[in-house]
Amino acid sequence: EVQLVESGGGLVKPGGSLRLSCAASGFTFSSYSMNWVRQAPGMGLEWVSSISGGSVHIYYADSVKGRFTISRDNAENSLYLQMNSLRAEDTAVYYCARLYCTGGSCDQGRAFDIWGQGTMVTVSS
Amino acid sequence: EIVLTQSPGTLSLSPGERATLSCRASQSVSSIYLAWYQQKPGQAPRLLIYGASSRATGIPDRFSGSGSGTDFTLTISRLEPEDFAVYYCQQYGSSPRYTFGQGTKLEI
Protein backbone atom coordinates (compact mmCIF):
# COMPACT_ATOMS: atom_id res chain seq x y z
CA GLU A 1 0.00 0.00 0.00
CA VAL A 2 1.28 3.44 -0.93
CA GLN A 3 1.51 5.44 2.26
CA LEU A 4 2.99 8.58 3.80
CA VAL A 5 3.15 8.99 7.58
CA GLU A 6 4.20 12.26 9.19
CA SER A 7 5.59 12.68 12.67
CA GLY A 8 7.42 15.22 14.80
CA GLY A 9 4.74 17.82 15.39
CA GLY A 10 4.06 19.36 18.78
CA LEU A 11 3.98 22.51 20.87
CA VAL A 12 6.95 24.86 20.57
CA LYS A 13 7.61 28.40 21.78
CA PRO A 14 8.06 31.29 19.35
CA GLY A 15 11.63 31.34 18.11
CA GLY A 16 12.00 27.62 18.70
CA SER A 17 12.75 24.77 16.32
CA LEU A 18 11.09 21.55 15.28
CA ARG A 19 11.91 18.79 12.78
CA LEU A 20 9.12 17.03 10.95
CA SER A 21 9.53 13.63 9.33
CA CYS A 22 7.53 11.84 6.68
CA ALA A 23 8.00 8.09 6.22
CA ALA A 24 7.14 6.75 2.78
CA SER A 25 6.27 3.17 1.86
CA GLY A 26 4.79 1.22 -1.02
CA PHE A 27 6.54 3.06 -3.85
CA THR A 28 10.02 3.89 -5.13
CA PHE A 29 10.57 6.97 -2.99
CA SER A 30 13.67 8.21 -4.79
CA SER A 31 11.76 8.50 -8.08
CA TYR A 32 9.39 11.16 -6.82
CA SER A 33 9.59 14.81 -5.91
CA MET A 34 8.05 15.45 -2.52
CA ASN A 35 6.33 18.41 -0.94
CA TRP A 36 5.24 19.90 2.35
CA VAL A 37 1.85 21.62 2.48
CA ARG A 38 0.36 23.23 5.58
CA GLN A 39 -3.09 24.22 6.74
CA ALA A 40 -3.63 26.70 9.55
CA PRO A 41 -6.64 25.99 11.79
CA GLY A 42 -9.86 26.66 9.88
CA MET A 43 -7.96 27.91 6.85
CA GLY A 44 -7.02 26.72 3.38
CA LEU A 45 -4.00 24.92 2.01
CA GLU A 46 -0.59 26.57 1.61
CA TRP A 47 2.33 24.99 -0.24
CA VAL A 48 5.51 25.22 1.87
CA SER A 49 8.38 23.48 0.09
CA SER A 50 9.38 21.00 -2.61
CA ILE A 51 12.38 18.74 -3.19
CA SER A 52 13.21 16.67 -6.25
CA GLY A 53 14.01 12.98 -6.10
CA GLY A 54 17.75 13.51 -6.05
CA SER A 55 17.57 16.63 -3.86
CA VAL A 56 18.94 18.76 -6.71
CA HIS A 57 15.95 21.07 -7.01
CA ILE A 58 14.60 22.65 -3.82
CA TYR A 59 12.00 25.38 -3.53
CA TYR A 60 10.37 27.30 -0.70
CA ALA A 61 7.41 29.57 -0.21
CA ASP A 62 8.46 33.12 0.60
CA SER A 63 6.78 32.81 3.99
CA VAL A 64 9.30 30.18 5.16
CA LYS A 65 12.40 30.93 3.08
CA GLY A 66 15.48 31.25 5.27
CA ARG A 67 13.79 29.60 8.24
CA PHE A 68 12.75 26.15 6.97
CA THR A 69 14.93 23.51 5.31
CA ILE A 70 13.57 20.55 3.37
CA SER A 71 15.66 17.41 2.95
CA ARG A 72 15.29 13.71 2.23
CA ASP A 73 17.06 10.41 2.81
CA ASN A 74 16.26 8.06 -0.05
CA ALA A 75 17.97 5.16 1.68
CA GLU A 76 15.56 5.58 4.57
CA ASN A 77 12.54 6.51 2.40
CA SER A 78 12.11 9.62 4.48
CA LEU A 79 11.35 13.29 3.94
CA TYR A 80 12.15 15.99 6.49
CA LEU A 81 11.31 19.59 7.27
CA GLN A 82 13.59 21.43 9.68
CA MET A 83 11.73 24.44 11.01
CA ASN A 84 13.66 27.18 12.80
CA SER A 85 12.72 30.62 14.14
CA LEU A 86 9.13 29.48 14.42
CA ARG A 87 6.37 32.06 14.61
CA ALA A 88 2.76 31.94 15.75
CA GLU A 89 1.67 32.10 12.11
CA ASP A 90 3.46 28.80 11.44
CA THR A 91 0.83 27.05 13.55
CA ALA A 92 -0.79 24.51 11.22
CA VAL A 93 -1.24 20.91 10.27
CA TYR A 94 1.71 19.96 8.08
CA TYR A 95 1.17 17.41 5.33
CA CYS A 96 3.73 15.70 3.17
CA ALA A 97 2.54 15.01 -0.36
CA ARG A 98 3.92 13.11 -3.35
CA LEU A 99 4.19 14.84 -6.70
CA TYR A 100 2.57 12.93 -9.54
CA CYS A 101 3.79 13.80 -13.03
CA THR A 102 1.52 13.00 -15.96
CA GLY A 103 2.92 10.31 -18.19
CA GLY A 104 6.11 10.35 -16.18
CA SER A 105 6.98 13.88 -17.26
CA CYS A 106 6.39 16.88 -15.04
CA ASP A 107 6.32 19.03 -18.17
CA GLN A 108 3.07 17.33 -19.15
CA GLY A 109 1.21 17.93 -15.94
CA ARG A 110 1.58 17.53 -12.20
CA ALA A 111 -0.51 17.20 -9.04
CA PHE A 112 -0.14 15.94 -5.48
CA ASP A 113 -1.53 12.40 -5.63
CA ILE A 114 -0.64 10.90 -2.25
CA TRP A 115 -0.92 12.75 1.07
CA GLY A 116 -0.03 11.84 4.62
CA GLN A 117 -2.48 12.23 7.49
CA GLY A 118 -0.71 15.35 8.75
CA THR A 119 1.08 16.38 11.93
CA MET A 120 0.06 19.38 14.02
CA VAL A 121 2.55 22.11 14.85
CA THR A 122 1.53 24.68 17.46
CA VAL A 123 3.72 27.72 18.07
CA SER A 124 2.71 29.41 21.29
CA SER A 125 4.23 30.73 24.48
CA GLU B 1 2.04 35.48 -8.45
CA ILE B 2 -1.07 33.81 -9.80
CA VAL B 3 -4.05 34.03 -7.46
CA LEU B 4 -6.82 31.45 -7.67
CA THR B 5 -10.28 32.63 -6.60
CA GLN B 6 -12.92 30.00 -5.98
CA SER B 7 -16.63 30.63 -6.02
CA PRO B 8 -18.98 30.35 -4.37
CA GLY B 9 -17.44 30.26 -0.92
CA THR B 10 -20.22 27.97 0.26
CA LEU B 11 -22.62 25.97 -1.89
CA SER B 12 -25.75 24.50 -0.31
CA LEU B 13 -27.31 21.64 -2.26
CA SER B 14 -29.09 18.35 -1.70
CA PRO B 15 -28.11 14.80 -2.59
CA GLY B 16 -28.95 14.05 -6.20
CA GLU B 17 -28.45 17.63 -7.33
CA ARG B 18 -25.71 18.89 -9.63
CA ALA B 19 -22.84 20.96 -8.21
CA THR B 20 -20.79 23.44 -10.22
CA LEU B 21 -17.69 24.88 -8.56
CA SER B 22 -15.62 27.65 -10.15
CA CYS B 23 -11.91 28.44 -9.99
CA ARG B 24 -10.74 31.66 -11.61
CA ALA B 25 -7.07 32.53 -12.06
CA SER B 26 -5.66 36.07 -11.99
CA GLN B 27 -3.73 35.26 -15.16
CA SER B 28 -3.73 32.44 -17.66
CA VAL B 29 -2.85 29.01 -16.31
CA SER B 30 -1.77 26.04 -18.38
CA SER B 31 -4.57 23.53 -18.04
CA ILE B 32 -2.11 20.66 -17.65
CA TYR B 33 -1.13 22.19 -14.30
CA LEU B 34 -4.61 22.68 -12.84
CA ALA B 35 -5.82 20.20 -10.21
CA TRP B 36 -8.78 19.79 -7.88
CA TYR B 37 -8.79 18.27 -4.39
CA GLN B 38 -11.48 17.20 -1.94
CA GLN B 39 -11.01 17.52 1.80
CA LYS B 40 -13.31 16.18 4.48
CA PRO B 41 -13.13 17.31 8.12
CA GLY B 42 -10.13 15.88 9.93
CA GLN B 43 -8.76 14.27 6.78
CA ALA B 44 -5.98 15.00 4.34
CA PRO B 45 -6.86 16.37 0.90
CA ARG B 46 -7.55 13.82 -1.84
CA LEU B 47 -6.68 14.35 -5.49
CA LEU B 48 -9.78 14.35 -7.67
CA ILE B 49 -8.79 15.90 -10.99
CA TYR B 50 -5.44 16.67 -12.63
CA GLY B 51 -4.69 18.31 -15.94
CA ALA B 52 -7.98 20.22 -15.53
CA SER B 53 -10.08 17.29 -16.73
CA SER B 54 -8.46 13.92 -15.96
CA ARG B 55 -9.88 11.95 -13.06
CA ALA B 56 -7.41 10.53 -10.57
CA THR B 57 -7.36 6.82 -9.82
CA GLY B 58 -10.51 5.60 -8.15
CA ILE B 59 -12.48 8.82 -8.57
CA PRO B 60 -16.11 8.21 -9.62
CA ASP B 61 -17.20 9.47 -13.02
CA ARG B 62 -19.76 11.81 -11.48
CA PHE B 63 -16.76 14.13 -10.92
CA SER B 64 -15.61 16.04 -13.98
CA GLY B 65 -13.35 18.99 -14.63
CA SER B 66 -13.22 21.46 -17.47
CA GLY B 67 -11.88 24.83 -18.45
CA SER B 68 -8.86 26.62 -19.82
CA GLY B 69 -7.01 29.89 -19.56
CA THR B 70 -8.33 31.62 -16.47
CA ASP B 71 -11.62 29.80 -15.88
CA PHE B 72 -11.92 26.26 -14.62
CA THR B 73 -14.89 24.28 -13.34
CA LEU B 74 -15.40 21.19 -11.21
CA THR B 75 -18.77 19.55 -11.75
CA ILE B 76 -20.35 16.84 -9.63
CA SER B 77 -23.22 15.46 -11.69
CA ARG B 78 -25.35 13.86 -8.97
CA LEU B 79 -24.32 14.56 -5.39
CA GLU B 80 -23.88 11.65 -3.05
CA PRO B 81 -23.90 12.16 0.74
CA GLU B 82 -20.14 11.54 0.87
CA ASP B 83 -19.45 14.41 -1.56
CA PHE B 84 -20.18 17.10 1.00
CA ALA B 85 -16.74 18.48 1.75
CA VAL B 86 -14.39 21.36 0.93
CA TYR B 87 -12.93 21.53 -2.57
CA TYR B 88 -9.70 23.26 -3.56
CA CYS B 89 -8.23 24.06 -6.93
CA GLN B 90 -4.45 24.25 -7.34
CA GLN B 91 -2.07 25.44 -10.01
CA TYR B 92 1.64 25.03 -10.69
CA GLY B 93 3.60 28.11 -11.62
CA SER B 94 7.00 29.69 -11.25
CA SER B 95 6.86 31.52 -7.95
CA PRO B 96 5.43 30.32 -5.72
CA ARG B 97 5.63 26.90 -7.20
CA TYR B 98 2.12 25.89 -6.23
CA THR B 99 -0.89 27.92 -5.19
CA PHE B 100 -4.29 26.85 -3.96
CA GLY B 101 -7.63 28.55 -4.12
CA GLN B 102 -9.29 29.44 -0.83
CA GLY B 103 -11.74 26.57 -1.14
CA THR B 104 -15.45 26.02 -1.71
CA LYS B 105 -17.45 24.36 1.04
CA LEU B 106 -20.14 22.10 -0.34
CA GLU B 107 -22.81 21.61 2.32
CA ILE B 108 -26.16 19.92 2.56
Side-chain angles (χ1 to χ4, degrees):
Chain A
E1 180 192 3
V2 175
Q3 195 173 12
L4 297 171
V5 179
E6 301 94 338
S7 60
L11 174 63
V12 61
K13 289 181 168 52
S17 299
L18 212 54
R19 189 195 197 206
L20 306 183
S21 300
C22 171
S25 59
F27 64 99
T28 305
F29 181 68
S30 60
S31 296
Y32 290 86
S33 291
M34 297 295 296
N35 301 269
W36 288 100
V37 176
R38 68 184 180 183
Q39 186 170 36
M43 303 296 284
L45 302 168
E46 179 190 16
W47 169 78
V48 172
S49 183
S50 296
I51 185 169
S52 60
S55 302
V56 173
H57 302 288
I58 289 176
Y59 304 93
Y60 298 97
D62 287 346
S63 57
V64 306
K65 200 173 295 182
R67 300 186 299 121
F68 289 12
T69 302
I70 192 171
S71 63
R72 64 190 296 161
D73 183 337
N74 288 340
E76 295 292 327
N77 292 333
S78 293
L79 173 72
Y80 305 102
L81 186 67
Q82 177 66 44
M83 304 186 296
N84 298 330
S85 302
L86 282 161
R87 306 166 179 167
E89 54 265 36
D90 297 318
T91 294
V93 174
Y94 285 73
Y95 297 100
C96 59
R98 187 179 80 169
L99 179 65
Y100 165 74
C101 293
T102 305
S105 170
C106 293
D107 292 335
Q108 297 187 32
R110 52 178 73 197
F112 297 167
D113 68 333
I114 304 296
W115 296 65
Q117 86 289 351
T119 187
M120 181 70 203
V121 172
T122 302
V123 184
S124 175
S125 55
Chain B
E1 175 183 344
I2 295 178
V3 176
L4 299 179
T5 302
Q6 292 186 240
S7 61
T10 301
L11 185 58
S12 299
L13 293 171
S14 299
E17 291 190 297
R18 179 185 186 92
T20 303
L21 287 65
S22 173
C23 176
R24 179 161 291 177
S26 58
Q27 49 187 288
S28 185
V29 171
S30 176
S31 60
I32 63 174
Y33 295 135
L34 195 287
W36 289 91
Y37 300 84
Q38 176 194 66
Q39 186 179 34
K40 297 179 181 179
Q43 296 185 17
R46 177 174 72 143
L47 177 64
L48 296 176
I49 300 287
Y50 63 92
S53 60
S54 298
R55 275 186 300 276
T57 303
I59 302 303
D61 60 8
R62 64 180 181 273
F63 290 91
S64 63
S66 63
S68 63
T70 59
D71 290 298
F72 297 89
T73 300
L74 174 70
T75 301
I76 310 170
S77 59
R78 286 180 57 85
L79 286 166
E80 297 287 344
E82 61 267 27
D83 298 337
F84 292 90
V86 179
Y87 292 83
Y88 295 95
C89 57
Q90 177 209 35
Q91 70 90 30
Y92 162 72
S94 56
S95 181
R97 297 285 282 179
Y98 302 94
T99 54
F100 292 89
Q102 84 281 12
T104 289
K105 181 179 182 180
L106 180 55
E107 65 176 24
I108 299 177

